[in-house]
Amino acid sequence: MSDCLFCKMAAGEIKPDVVYEDDQVLAFRDLHPQAPLHALVIPKRHVATLNELDDAGLGGRLLQTAAQIAKDLGYADNGYRTVLNCNADGGQTVFHLHLHLLAGRQMHWPPG
């Protein structure tokens, strides 16, 4: 998608602050962090929302990547939160599937 911000990042046209990358996913620090660690984990191929995700393996890959980043950066033992927003009422503002990984502070419930 030529106008998708995250597709441009996945293609290397825009350079985010990368924390992880492989052939399927890219993870980078959020520009407006809500915790000491706030990374976004995205599929490299365009999937607009969770509703359009048709590959359970890719969904699992996003979760596994988030867990590995939390381990690698030293947050796994204390805990972290993963969030997938879907569509406007769910809080999604960029319509390219992305998982938020938040860590480094106490998370509260309900989230908001």
Side-chain angles (χ1 to χ4, degrees):
M1 304 237 7
S2 62
D3 60 340
C4 175
L5 175 65
F6 289 174
C7 285
K8 290 178 181 180
M9 290 179 179
E13 297 172 30
I14 296 174
K15 304 289 186 197
D17 185 0
V18 174
V19 294
Y20 179 84
E21 183 172 11
D22 66 23
D23 62 324
Q24 294 181 43
V25 302
L26 174 67
F28 52 90
R29 294 187 185 276
D30 193 292
L31 288 177
H32 304 288
Q34 302 300 306
L37 171 61
H38 186 173
L40 302 178
V41 183
I42 69 167
K44 285 191 169 179
R45 72 175 173 91
H46 187 80
V47 178
T49 74
L50 186 57
N51 291 337
E52 282 79 41
L53 182 62
D54 59 0
D55 181 347
L58 182 57
R61 186 76 190 120
L62 296 176
L63 291 167
Q64 288 176 324
T65 299
Q68 190 61 52
I69 292 167
K71 289 176 193 167
D72 291 348
L73 297 181
Y75 293 104
D77 288 343
N78 286 339
Y80 55 93
R81 177 171 287 167
T82 58
V83 178
L84 285 165
N85 298 324
C86 185
N87 284 324
D89 281 359
Q92 186 175 6
T93 57
V94 177
F95 288 86
H96 182 120
L97 181 65
H98 56 285
L99 179 149
H100 294 260
L101 169 61
L102 301 121
R105 69 169 175 81
Q106 178 68 50
M107 301 294 157
H108 301 283
W109 197 260

